[in-house]
Amino acid sequence: MMSVTWPQALAWRLVRQFLDPVGDEPVSGVVRRLGAVPAAADAELAIRLRQTTSQPGEVSRALADGELLAVYAFRGATHLVTPEDGGAYLALRAAGRMWERASWREYYRLEPEDWPRLRELVREALSDGPLTRAELGDAVTRDAAYAHLGQAFADPAHTVLKPFVWQGDMSFGPSRGQEPTFRRLDTNPRWTPWPDLDEAGRHAVLAYVGTYGPATEAHVQYWLGEGLGAGRARVRRWWVELAERFAEVDVEGEPATVLREHADALAEAQPSTSVRLLPGHDQWVLGPGTADAHVVPPEHRQAVSRGANLVVAGGVAGTWAVSGDEVTVTWFDGAGPAVEATAPGALADEVGRLGTLLDRPLRLRPRMD
């Protein structure tokens, strides 16, 4: 079994996530590599920080052009995905068939046999273009069989809308002011359904290990099993079926897995000296999970989980905030001197890059340990 250190492993993960070196992929390429990007966080900054060249508003334009989709995905939250790969994640999310649970059937007064016609009505309503939640609800409830769903469509939690997204009927459309709209998914020529659940699952496992490796089965269970409700037994089976695609690696005594085609590059990886300033809820920590102590120091997990902006130097080494024209960095456990000794000037350079992306001059406030 090949052996590497954690600094090597994290350096390799920085490469795979377009963080060191920064990548030259378009918006859709970054999102596809990450798998999904939370829409509620600063998605544009998270993506642009992974690009050597970018322009403000590219994420919105990619959504408008159908190069990206906004969908309910991991843990029921809204995520940006690509239309080519997003269908695989939605297939896994739909596999749990939450709408058939007794609590749903009782609350919404819908039986499993009611959903095919209901889905057809939703697609028909969206055939002429995007609709707001209220407009979609009005169209559906004209059918007497579904007249009782008016309040469900008006619910700001959007709960009843999620199965239509998971099953590939619709995604978010362009907002009208503060009001979101929804549009048909199958009108997007890039949209790729994944009708074979096992094929979708194996694809999602390989994509995860390729971006967040070295990883363990527990990491994949966290991402796909818990995050999408794909089912522990299914994830376990996909993991076993893909064994020939994996290479085992020892990371300072801990067994982990990478894609076989990545093994040589991982072995040659050198510890990174980069410093990156990432927004809160970035995939750097959401992918492996904030409970991964190699990424987030356990004593600082709460701040990271609540969305603090991240200073990444290997793992998460601190947090940052902007006030006026100053960026204040708060290092974890006095990490500042060690980082500055290893990579003098890297933090100041990253502050300058952040200022360019935010289109405002920024300077680094003197260190606060």
Side-chain angles (χ1 to χ4, degrees), residues 72-119:
Y72 302 113
F74 294 84
R75 289 170 170 75
T78 306
H79 285 77
L80 307 183
V81 297
T82 65
E84 294 82 6
D85 288 352
Y89 300 118
L90 293 182
L92 269 58
R93 191 67 185 88
R97 304 188 70 82
M98 186 178 294
W99 56 92
E100 294 184 0
R101 293 179 180 178
S103 58
W104 276 62
R105 293 163 66 181
E106 179 180 355
Y107 186 81
Y108 292 112
R109 288 183 283 158
L110 291 172
E111 294 301 316
E113 58 268 25
D114 295 323
W115 279 90
R117 174 57 182 159
L118 179 56
R119 292 178 58 199

Side-chain angles (χ1 to χ4, degrees), residues 84 144 162 168 170 228:
E84 294 82 6
K162 295 181 180 182
M170 67 183 194
L228 292 177

Side-chain angles (χ1 to χ4, degrees), residues 103-163:
S103 58
W104 276 62
R105 293 163 66 181
E106 179 180 355
Y107 186 81
Y108 292 112
R109 288 183 283 158
L110 291 172
E111 294 301 316
E113 58 268 25
D114 295 323
W115 279 90
R117 174 57 182 159
L118 179 56
R119 292 178 58 199
E120 183 180 348
L121 285 174
V122 166
R123 292 192 299 270
E124 289 175 355
L126 296 174
S127 293
D128 292 331
L131 297 177
T132 64
R133 186 162 42 100
E135 291 167 343
L136 182 58
D138 288 344
V140 169
T141 55
R142 291 191 192 110
D143 187 307
Y146 304 106
H148 65 286
L149 294 175
Q151 185 58 43
F153 275 87
D155 184 355
H158 292 203
T159 304
V160 80
L161 300 178
K162 295 181 180 182

Side-chain angles (χ1 to χ4, degrees), residues 218-241:
H219 285 112
V220 177
Q221 288 285 358
Y222 164 81
W223 182 240
L224 302 178
E226 297 175 30
L228 292 177
R232 178 168 293 276
R234 288 193 191 97
V235 174
R236 173 61 181 163
R237 176 163 53 81
W238 297 330
W239 181 266
V240 172
E241 290 171 349

